[in-house]
């Protein structure tokens, strides 16, 4: 059956000046990474759409993931590893200096696109730079800082200037270089797919062809006869619990669907193939025969809640979660209000589009353990879920976190880690599981699609009186974090304003669509779009401006939020609005169309749930090691913890080492979610640092006397559960606040976004700016271009059709940090920014278009704009 293949045609070419030959049809990226071990070029999409794989061919940028070797015959390929020492020094400095690096996965490709430009034009315009990097997508930065880095590199090359040497103190407020900037810029930072081990094999899941079907029979006999096939695993090979899940108390996700079981979406695994050769995986999977009984999928919450609808899980009417928040009598108050508006809103699923596709490597560790190399958002969640599946003690799985190429919430759930562990457990060899980009798109949880009805009232002066809202979210096939996302959508639905009468009803409903879960903003972008849009209508009725209605109602210190929590003394929403007032007035005076919106976002999980940050500071060989299990997904956590330690200890950054997350070395500091790590882990670092500082003072500053000592810090946030009977419950330990102004140009393009943010003490202003710029662009995409269409339970999206905004489509952005008059008591006054960055921009843009043409848009992405014409 498996005749020997013909010897492939070969092609001769050079890489970084050295001659090579390879199979003519082999992809250049595979040759570079697998044959030569040159891993700086990344596989972000496999379709030439993202630019992470960029290399130079005779000086011209090409996409190596789609380029066969026969297309480069006789040409010289330059990878990031092949740059001169001078070039590496310049680009390493420029990207760190500009704050251009976050998750870092796209940066090697950006550098080579920049080199392709600067080698021929070392004095480019801003438009030249944005055109040059247009083929390269960055999901983190908003492109502003990357363009700035290329300008700096151009100047250093043009002037033949020495690369400056920066010395940083690490104190709070200093724009020190990110601690990982150089490694990520120069391609030496290791992501999971960059790892290779002796004897490593590869595995991949065969997934359901249908959103909803009964699996009648799985026949792996032909696949097992393939010479490269080591094993085909099915549900019966799972030694422990077949059900896992991000929330331990609600583990409803099947590791694989067994014979006789029913699939719930097209991402459900029915088998896992293990192959000696990565290139044989698709062929082996094609030989696995699966017989199905096709069933009618439930593709909307309305269908799923209909009487007689089949239950996906043991939940009445397929309702995963139901929240009903009531304070006062909203119906009565609305009936007495001078002005009342009611609107229905519809928002779609959207895709995280993090740059790094999911990958994990697992291998045996001793007789009865495993080592797992992962890039998820919590090493301890992965340890718990994988050990549950294998039926072993959690400590038997040693999880080593690697650099993470973006997450935005999309890497909180298991994707590949459990299958890698299962395969390694059974075949007793290192196993790598890597998703293709399309597999990633079809599999991991999305931002929730929601249908919402909001009714908001105000008095004759525009003072808000009450709000009533109903939200229904499509949480897809599995729970993921659908319940907590619904909670946040509801608890934040009334906005950061001073009124207390609310009636908010929310339901998260199971369907046979792709699961929905955590995504930057965690339900708040959906409800904020609705709530803020209603405010624009009320302002119109009350005869005041959109800015004025927000200013009159903005929450002030000591006043109760709509959820009852008293706003702390650190609240600066009023100052955010005042900071934007001159920009707002100037835009209107120039006849431009402007929109404004506000938002708040919690820091921490809150609502009475356990929420703990932990850290160990250890003195090793005269250096202070920061050890925490908190994962950096690009937000710069290692830099934040370094600066808090430096600021507290009075030590420079070169005396501090921040370790990677590791279940044997770093304590559990919770999931990287809910904008919590800077505050929770930051406070834990502060507490450990204060202990070390006291010991150092006793030792007269002699670090050698503390060699081998460890100092533990822990912070536990105490909050009240939802539904608390307290008059002013504490839902979360802190909130950040923001106001965003969107201005359109004459053609209806977003010309500029100006954002004022209250995020407490700003640890590193340059890094925080970059976070916000990236968040603003993501929110702009949510408003105008991004969509994730589903038809009959099947996604109709590919990476190139997601609507991601590229460098030449990004507007000007200006970020204003409002300094708190009374900083919060935790982590030196730090509050989170990661989620808040993206929330208010969507309704601000909606307001700008409403002012432009009078069309009140209630669906996303908005139609009849410069970016998207009206359908139908």
């Amino acid at each position: 059956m498996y005749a020997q293949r013909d010897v492939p045609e070969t092609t001769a070419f050079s890489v970084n000046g050295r001659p090579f030959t390879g199979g003519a049809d082999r992809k250049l990226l595979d040759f570079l990474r697998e044959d030569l071990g040159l891993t700086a070029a990344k596989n972000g999409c496999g379709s030439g759409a993202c630019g992470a794989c960029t290399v130079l061919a005779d000086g011209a940028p090409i996409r190596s993931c789609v380029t066969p070797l026969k297309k480069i015959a006789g040409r010289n390929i330059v990878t990031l590893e092949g740059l001169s020492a001078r070039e590496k020094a310049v680009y390493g400095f420029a990207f760190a200096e500009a704050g251009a690096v976050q998750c870092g996965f796209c940066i090697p490709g950006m550098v080579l696109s920049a080199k392709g430009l600067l080698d021929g034009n070392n004095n480019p315009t801003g438009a030249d730079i944005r055109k040059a990097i247009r083929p390269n997508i960055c999901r983190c930065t908003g492109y502003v800082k990357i363009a700035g880095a290329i300008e700096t590199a151009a100047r250093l090359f043009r002037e033949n200037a020495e690369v400056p040497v920066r010395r940083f103190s690490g104190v709070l407020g200093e724009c020190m270089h990110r601690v990982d900037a150089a490694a990520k810029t120069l391609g030496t930072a290791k992501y999971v797919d960059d790892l290779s081990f002796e004897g490593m094999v590869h595995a991949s899941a065969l997934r359901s062809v249908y959103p909803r079907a009964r699996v009648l029979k799985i026949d792996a006999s032909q696949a097992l006869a393939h010479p490269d096939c080591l094993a085909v695993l099915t549900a019966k090979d799972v030694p422990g619990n077949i059900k896992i899940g991000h929330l331990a108390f609600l583990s409803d996700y099947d590791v694989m669907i067994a014979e006789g079981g029913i699939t719930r979406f097209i991402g459900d695994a029915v088998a896992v193939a293990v192959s000696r050769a990565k290139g044989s995986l698709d062929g082996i999977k094609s030989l696995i025969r699966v017989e199905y009984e096709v069933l009618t999928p439930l593709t909307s919450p309305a269908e799923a809640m209909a009487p007689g609808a089949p239950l996906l899980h043991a939940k009445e009417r397929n309702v995963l979660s139901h929240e009903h928040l009531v304070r006062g009598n909203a119906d009565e108050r609305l009936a007495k209000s001078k002005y009342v508006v009611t609107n229905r809103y519809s928002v779609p699923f959207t895709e995280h589009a993090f740059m790094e596709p999911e990958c994990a490597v697992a291998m045996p560790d001793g007789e009865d353990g495993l080592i797992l190399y992962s890039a998820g958002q919590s090493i301890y969640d992965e340890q718990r879920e994988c050990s549950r599946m294998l039926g072993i003690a959690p400590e038997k799985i040693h999880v080593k976190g690697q650099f993470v190429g973006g997450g935005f919430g999309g890497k909180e759930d298991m994707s590949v880690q459990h299958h890698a562990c299962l395969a390694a457990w059974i075949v007793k060899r290192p196993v790598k599981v890597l998703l293709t980009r399309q597999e990633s798109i079809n599999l991991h949880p999305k931002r929730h699609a929601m249908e919402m009805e909001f009714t908001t009232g105000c008095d004759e002066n525009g003072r808000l009186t009450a709000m009533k809202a109903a939200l229904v979210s499509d949480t897809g096939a599995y729970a993921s974090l659908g319940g907590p996302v619904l909670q946040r959508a509801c608890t934040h639905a009334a906005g950061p304003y001073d009124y207390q009468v609310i009636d908010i009803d929310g339901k998260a409903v199971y369907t046979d669509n792709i699961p929905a879960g955590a995504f930057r903003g965690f339900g708040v972008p959906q409800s904020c779009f609705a709530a803020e849009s209603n405010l624009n209508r009320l302002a119109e009725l009350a005869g005041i401006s959109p800015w004025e209605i927000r200013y009159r109602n903005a929450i002030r210190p000591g006043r109760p939020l709509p959820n009852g929590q008293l706003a702390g003394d650190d609240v600066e929403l009023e100052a955010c609005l005042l900071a934007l007032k001159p920009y707002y007035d100037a835009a209107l005076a120039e006849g431009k169309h402007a929109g404004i919106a506000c938002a708040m976002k919690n820091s921490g999980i809150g609502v009475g749930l356990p929420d703990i940050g932990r850290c160990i500071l250890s003195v090793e060989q005269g250096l202070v090691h920061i050890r925490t299990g908190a994962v950096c997904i690009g937000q710069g956590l290692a830099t934040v913890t370094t600066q808090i330690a430096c600021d507290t200890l009075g030590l420079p950054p070169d005396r501090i080492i921040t370790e990677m997350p590791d279940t044997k070395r770093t304590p559990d500091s919770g999931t990287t979610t809910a904008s919590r790590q800077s505050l929770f882990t930051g406070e834990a670092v502060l507490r450990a640092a204060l202990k070390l500082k006291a010991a150092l003072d006793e030792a007269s500053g002699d670090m050698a006397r503390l060699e081998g000592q460890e100092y533990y810090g822990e912070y536990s946030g105490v909050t009240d559960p939802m539904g608390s009977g307290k008059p002013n419950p504490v839902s979360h330990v802190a909130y950040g606040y923001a106001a965003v102004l969107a201005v359109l140009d004459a053609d209806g393009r977003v010309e500029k976004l100006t954002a004022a943010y209250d995020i407490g003490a700003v640890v590193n202003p340059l890094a925080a700016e970059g976070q916000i710029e990236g968040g603003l662009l993501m929110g702009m995409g949510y408003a105008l271009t991004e969509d994730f269409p589903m038809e009959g339970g099947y996604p109709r999206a590919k990476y190139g059709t997601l609507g991601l905004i590229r460098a030449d489509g990004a507007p000007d952005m200006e970020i204003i940090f409002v300094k708190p008059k009374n900083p919060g008591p935790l982590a030196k006054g730090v509050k989170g920014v990661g989620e808040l960055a993206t929330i208010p921009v969507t309704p601000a843009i909606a307001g700008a278009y409403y002012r432009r043409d009078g069309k009140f848009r209630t669906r996303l992405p908005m139609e009849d704009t410069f970016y998207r014409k009206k359908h139908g």
Side-chain angles (χ1 to χ4, degrees):
M1 184 184 299
Y2 302 101
Q4 183 174 356
R5 302 184 184 95
D6 293 333
V7 177
E9 177 187 350
T10 61
T11 298
F13 54 93
S14 297
V15 176
N16 299 328
R18 295 178 57 200
F20 292 97
T21 59
D25 293 324
R26 187 140 192 246
K27 293 297 189 286
L28 173 58
L29 183 62
D30 293 338
F31 181 84
L32 293 173
R33 291 179 59 84
E34 295 170 13
D35 291 24
L36 304 187
L38 301 175
T39 58
K42 308 299 183 191
N43 189 350
C45 68
S47 60
C50 77
C53 66
T54 301
V55 298
L56 301 181
D58 291 342
I62 63 170
R63 308 294 163 253
S64 64
C65 73
V66 293
T67 302
L69 296 185
K70 62 187 175 186
K71 293 289 188 182
I72 60 164
R75 303 176 76 180
N76 182 48
I77 301 302
V78 173
T79 71
L80 192 56
E81 292 91 342
L83 267 59
S84 69
R86 161 73 175 169
E87 288 174 317
K88 289 179 179 178
V90 167
Y91 286 115
F93 170 81
F95 276 71
E97 179 77 358
V101 181
Q102 290 187 37
C103 89
F105 198 82
C106 73
I107 297 301
M110 291 284 185
V111 170
L112 285 173
S113 288
K115 175 176 166 57
L117 169 67
L118 300 185
D119 282 356
N121 174 14
N122 66 10
N123 194 17
T125 64
D128 292 335
I129 292 172
R130 288 179 180 262
K131 180 180 178 181
I133 61 173
R134 187 187 186 282
N136 301 71
I137 287 177
C138 175
R139 194 63 165 156
C140 296
T141 68
Y143 302 104
V144 176
K145 301 285 187 278
I146 292 175
I150 297 171
E151 289 177 0
T152 297
R155 178 182 58 78
L156 291 172
F157 286 131
R158 186 172 62 249
E159 298 174 1
N160 196 27
E162 289 188 13
V163 176
V165 177
R166 296 282 188 248
R167 296 280 184 255
F168 297 104
S169 66
V171 297
L172 262 63
E174 182 180 58
C175 294
M176 67 171 268
H177 292 176
R178 280 183 57 134
V179 299
D180 53 8
K184 289 178 174 178
T185 302
L186 300 179
T188 59
K190 292 299 180 185
Y191 301 82
V192 180
D193 192 34
D194 298 334
L195 304 179
S196 184
F197 299 93
E198 184 71 26
M200 187 174 77
V201 298
H202 300 266
S204 179
L206 177 69
R207 301 189 184 275
S208 176
V209 180
Y210 306 102
R212 184 172 179 80
R214 189 180 306 278
V215 178
L216 301 177
K217 184 179 180 182
I218 304 170
D219 181 0
S221 58
Q222 291 187 48
L224 289 167
H226 192 289
D228 285 338
C229 184
L230 274 175
V232 174
L233 311 178
T234 61
K236 63 186 178 185
D237 295 303
V238 176
N241 201 314
I242 197 70
K243 299 279 190 179
I244 60 173
H246 184 63
L247 300 177
F249 65 88
L250 187 57
S251 296
D252 65 357
Y253 202 133
D254 292 274
V255 174
M256 282 182 276
I257 304 296
E259 289 184 345
I262 295 176
T263 68
R264 297 179 179 88
F265 84 117
I266 62 160
D268 270 329
V270 295
V272 173
V274 186
S275 173
R276 294 177 179 86
K278 176 184 173 183
S280 298
L281 279 171
D282 287 343
I284 294 171
K285 289 196 296 181
S286 72
L287 297 173
I288 303 172
R289 305 293 180 229
V290 183
E291 294 180 21
Y292 295 97
E293 176 192 350
V294 180
L295 305 173
T296 302
L298 304 173
T299 60
S300 71
E303 290 178 1
M305 290 190 292
L311 298 181
L312 277 76
H313 304 276
K315 291 287 187 177
E316 185 177 354
R317 297 180 63 215
N318 286 308
V319 176
L320 163 66
S321 180
H322 181 202
E323 301 291 348
H324 193 194
L325 282 64
V326 178
R327 291 181 68 84
N329 189 323
D331 288 329
E332 181 180 285
R333 194 69 184 272
L334 287 167
K336 296 178 180 179
S337 297
K338 175 70 173 178
Y339 303 111
V340 177
V341 296
T342 299
N343 291 291
R344 292 185 61 85
Y345 298 88
S346 179
V347 295
F349 292 108
T350 48
E351 157 71 17
H352 303 73
F354 38 71
M355 294 301 298
E356 175 202 27
E358 298 89 334
C359 185
V361 177
M363 65 182 66
D365 184 25
E367 292 292 322
D368 58 352
L370 291 175
I371 297 174
L372 172 64
Y373 295 88
S374 179
Q377 292 182 219
S378 170
I379 58 173
Y380 283 92
D381 288 340
E382 294 162 46
Q383 184 187 58
R384 172 181 53 79
E385 292 189 60
C386 292
S387 63
R388 172 187 171 96
M389 173 194 66
L390 295 177
I392 61 176
E395 58 270 18
K396 292 293 185 181
I397 299 181
H398 177 190
V399 185
K400 297 186 175 187
Q402 303 300 296
F403 283 103
V404 182
F408 313 113
K411 292 179 179 174
E412 290 192 37
D413 296 83
M414 291 303 95
S415 55
V416 290
Q417 300 95 325
H418 56 314
H419 289 158
C421 284
L422 179 63
W425 185 259
I426 291 174
V427 304
K428 306 300 181 186
R429 293 175 66 172
V431 179
K432 178 181 284 189
V433 181
L434 169 67
L435 296 186
T436 67
R437 176 57 70 174
Q438 194 60 46
E439 283 179 310
S440 175
I441 287 172
N442 291 352
L443 170 63
H444 76 251
K446 312 302 174 201
R447 189 190 299 282
H448 283 78
M450 289 191 189
E451 299 295 323
M452 304 173 286
E453 181 174 284
F454 273 58
T455 299
T456 318
C458 70
D459 65 15
E460 64 276 10
N461 297 313
R463 299 280 184 181
L464 296 174
T465 54
M467 192 204 43
K468 188 171 185 178
L471 303 85
V472 177
S473 75
D474 186 339
T475 206
Y478 294 101
S480 181
L481 285 155
V485 167
L486 178 69
Q487 289 180 345
R488 273 339 128 257
C490 292
T491 58
H492 288 62
Y497 300 112
D498 190 351
Y499 69 111
Q500 289 76 49
V501 181
I502 59 170
D503 187 330
I504 302 168
D505 187 89
K507 294 183 180 70
V509 184
Y510 285 120
T511 68
D512 288 306
N513 290 322
I514 293 175
F519 192 161
R520 193 177 199 173
F522 213 77
V524 183
Q526 294 94 314
S527 59
C528 180
F529 168 59
E532 289 289 309
S533 294
N534 266 16
L535 286 192
N536 292 334
R537 278 288 177 91
L538 284 177
E540 213 173 20
L541 293 173
I544 59 179
S545 74
W547 181 91
E548 185 65 34
I549 196 170
R550 289 168 172 83
Y551 183 74
R552 291 184 185 183
N553 290 285
I555 194 68
R556 268 85 171 176
R559 294 293 301 163
L561 287 158
N563 63 13
Q565 180 167 339
L566 295 177
D569 291 340
D570 60 334
V571 172
E572 296 290 353
L573 180 59
E574 178 184 7
C576 290
L577 284 162
L578 289 172
L580 291 186
K581 187 66 161 59
Y583 297 86
Y584 183 80
D585 290 344
L588 299 187
E590 293 171 10
K592 294 184 175 180
H593 304 114
I596 194 167
C598 298
M600 67 179 188
K601 186 62 178 70
N602 57 288
S603 292
I605 296 168
V607 294
L609 298 174
D611 199 2
I612 303 173
R614 298 181 178 94
C615 174
I616 295 170
L617 297 185
S618 56
V619 180
E620 303 178 32
Q621 297 182 343
L623 301 177
V624 176
H625 287 238
I626 299 176
R627 294 158 51 190
T628 174
V631 174
C632 177
I633 57 175
Q635 79 274 33
L637 181 62
T639 304
V640 168
T641 56
T642 296
Q643 289 194 243
I644 289 175
C646 289
D647 192 80
T648 306
L649 297 170
L651 296 175
D654 60 10
R655 298 287 302 280
I656 308 288
I657 293 176
T658 303
E659 296 192 13
M660 299 293 282
D662 185 312
T663 53
K664 286 190 180 298
R665 284 278 298 174
T666 61
D668 186 359
S669 200
T671 309
T672 295
T673 188
S675 301
R676 61 179 296 280
Q677 292 294 13
S678 291
L679 190 156
F680 279 75
T681 299
E683 175 67 11
V685 171
L686 173 61
R687 294 183 178 193
L690 289 171
K691 294 178 181 178
L692 173 54
K693 180 68 164 59
L696 196 57
D697 289 344
E698 287 185 15
S700 302
D702 185 0
M703 190 72 77
R705 291 169 57 184
L706 305 181
E707 184 66 27
Q709 297 298 306
E710 294 184 351
Y711 303 88
Y712 178 70
E714 177 178 306
Y715 166 66
S716 179
V718 178
T719 53
D720 296 311
M722 291 188 67
S724 168
K726 295 181 179 180
N728 298 112
V730 176
S731 293
H732 296 91
V733 298
Y735 290 95
Y737 298 86
V740 170
L741 175 69
V743 177
L744 307 181
D745 67 13
D747 295 321
R749 286 176 293 208
V750 178
E751 179 180 87
K752 185 177 181 182
L753 298 171
T754 307
Y757 274 73
D758 161 25
I759 59 171
V762 183
V763 176
N764 187 312
L766 191 66
E769 278 183 3
Q771 276 256 287
I772 294 171
E773 288 161 356
L776 292 176
L777 196 66
M778 188 176 281
M780 177 177 160
Y782 188 46
L784 297 169
T785 62
E786 294 184 34
D787 199 0
F788 193 88
M790 298 277 296
E791 294 178 11
Y794 295 91
R796 299 306 184 195
K798 297 184 183 298
Y799 189 83
T801 66
L802 291 172
L804 307 178
I805 298 175
R806 295 178 181 268
D808 59 350
D812 291 338
M813 295 182 239
E814 183 175 347
I815 312 301
I816 301 166
F817 292 115
V818 173
K819 186 176 181 180
K821 293 184 285 291
N822 300 290
L826 301 171
K828 294 180 177 281
V830 172
K831 297 190 285 189
V833 66
E835 294 175 285
L836 182 63
T838 201
I839 296 168
V841 65
T842 302
I845 291 172
Y849 274 103
Y850 182 49
R851 187 173 183 88
R852 174 182 169 83
D853 58 20
K855 297 176 182 178
F856 191 74
R857 294 165 174 84
T858 59
R859 299 180 66 88
L860 299 180
M862 291 182 277
E863 294 184 340
D864 200 14
T865 69
F866 176 87
Y867 303 87
R868 187 181 178 95
K869 301 308 177 186
K870 188 173 180 63
H871 291 178

